[in-house]
Amino acid sequence: DQQVKQNSPSLSVQEGRISILNCDYTNSMFDYFLWYKKYPAEGPTFLISISSIKDKNEDGRFTVFLNKSAKHLSLHIVPSQPGDSAVYFCAAAGGGSNYKLTFGKGTLLTVNP
Amino acid sequence: DGGITQSPKYLFRKEGQNVTLSCEQNLNHDAMYWYRQDPGQGLRLIYYSQIVNDFQKGDIAEGYSVSREKKESFPLTVTSAQKNPTAFYLCASKTSSTDTQYFGPGTRLTVL
């Protein structure tokens, strides 16, 4: 059973516009959420995270929003740049294990010039 | 320069052979992890180790083995019992005080 779901396998946006990547989770025990960015044939790079006690965290062009009641989080990238084109993974921590992350399957973002 | 290294970047083996993938970190991290990535599958946890001389199975441990004799090193052996070993393998590590894992560059294993 997939506890972290990224229902959009891909997303295409124009340069300069907003990119919104979505993630849903089912385990209400998750208390920390992370976004990673991954280029082909490279390891994922940590992007931004949010604790369950917050509903928003911002870092430059990247903002993560958390809606606990809906068990939903989203990553906003504004403005989008061609270099943002990559696969984005949502991950969740907690859920009874302090050492494991549960990953979604990823969303491929393509930013067109 | 602190970081996580995985070697080699590309590895080819014949079917039926065991192969060991290297993962080293000089970040003084306590926990280390091995993931496998297949197209459309995301990252799946193979094994993890919270401290030296201790490790636990992840979600897809069958056909794999690990050791953690040193804090800096967490090698993964892909045995001949692993039915579909061709994949991209990722090593990660973290401190005990955070949930954020940091990843190495990965090893692409191809079994011919």
Side-chain angles (χ1 to χ4, degrees):
Chain A
D1 182 32
Q2 214 181 338
Q3 297 188 64
V4 177
K5 299 180 182 180
Q6 294 177 256
N7 292 319
S8 298
S10 63
L11 174 67
S12 182
V13 299
Q14 286 300 119
E15 181 178 5
R17 298 288 185 95
I18 184 171
S19 295
I20 300 176
L21 296 98
N22 294 303
C23 179
D24 297 296
Y25 62 96
T26 57
N27 190 335
S28 58
M29 295 292 290
F30 287 144
D31 57 9
Y32 195 74
F33 303 89
L34 308 91
W35 285 94
Y36 286 85
K37 173 182 178 180
K38 186 182 180 304
Y39 294 118
E42 294 184 11
T45 303
F46 169 69
L47 205 53
I48 192 169
S49 62
I50 187 167
S51 166
S52 60
I53 62 174
K54 295 185 176 181
D55 55 17
K56 176 182 175 182
N57 189 26
E58 190 172 356
D59 184 1
R61 296 186 297 115
F62 303 92
T63 302
V64 56
F65 295 92
L66 176 62
N67 183 333
K68 285 178 60 179
S69 61
K71 295 191 178 67
H72 176 84
L73 62 153
S74 60
L75 175 67
H76 293 211
I77 306 173
V78 183
S80 299
Q81 300 173 355
D84 296 329
S85 297
V87 175
Y88 290 78
F89 289 100
C90 170
S97 169
N98 291 329
Y99 277 83
K100 292 172 61 174
L101 290 180
T102 302
F103 285 85
K105 292 188 176 183
T107 296
L108 173 63
L109 173 65
T110 302
V111 181
N112 301 302
Chain B
D1 224 29
I4 304 172
T5 57
Q6 293 185 242
S7 60
K9 180 70 175 174
Y10 299 96
L11 191 54
F12 296 88
R13 280 294 181 271
K14 292 183 178 179
E15 192 173 344
Q17 291 181 336
N18 291 356
V19 59
T20 297
L21 281 61
S22 167
C23 178
E24 304 278 334
Q25 54 95 5
N26 59 5
L27 300 168
N28 200 33
H29 285 175
D30 303 298
M32 297 186 74
Y33 302 79
W34 274 105
Y35 292 90
R36 167 181 173 143
Q37 186 192 14
D38 297 281
Q41 290 289 334
L43 275 65
R44 294 186 290 169
L45 182 63
I46 304 173
Y47 266 99
Y48 64 104
S49 169
Q50 299 176 30
I51 56 172
V52 175
N53 292 323
D54 186 47
F55 49 83
Q56 286 80 39
K57 292 182 178 180
D59 301 318
I60 54 165
E62 185 176 353
Y64 299 98
S65 65
V66 294
S67 62
R68 186 85 187 277
E69 298 176 0
K70 299 186 301 182
K71 188 175 185 178
E72 304 80 21
S73 179
F74 191 41
L76 173 74
T77 297
V78 184
T79 74
S80 57
Q82 168 51 231
K83 296 181 180 179
N84 297 296
T86 295
F88 190 53
Y89 290 88
L90 289 158
C91 178
S93 69
K94 77 174 189 73
T95 68
S96 56
S97 59
T98 178
D99 289 309
T100 305
Q101 295 180 21
Y102 296 91
F103 285 82
T107 293
R108 166 69 64 183
L109 172 65
T110 302
V111 175
L112 306 171

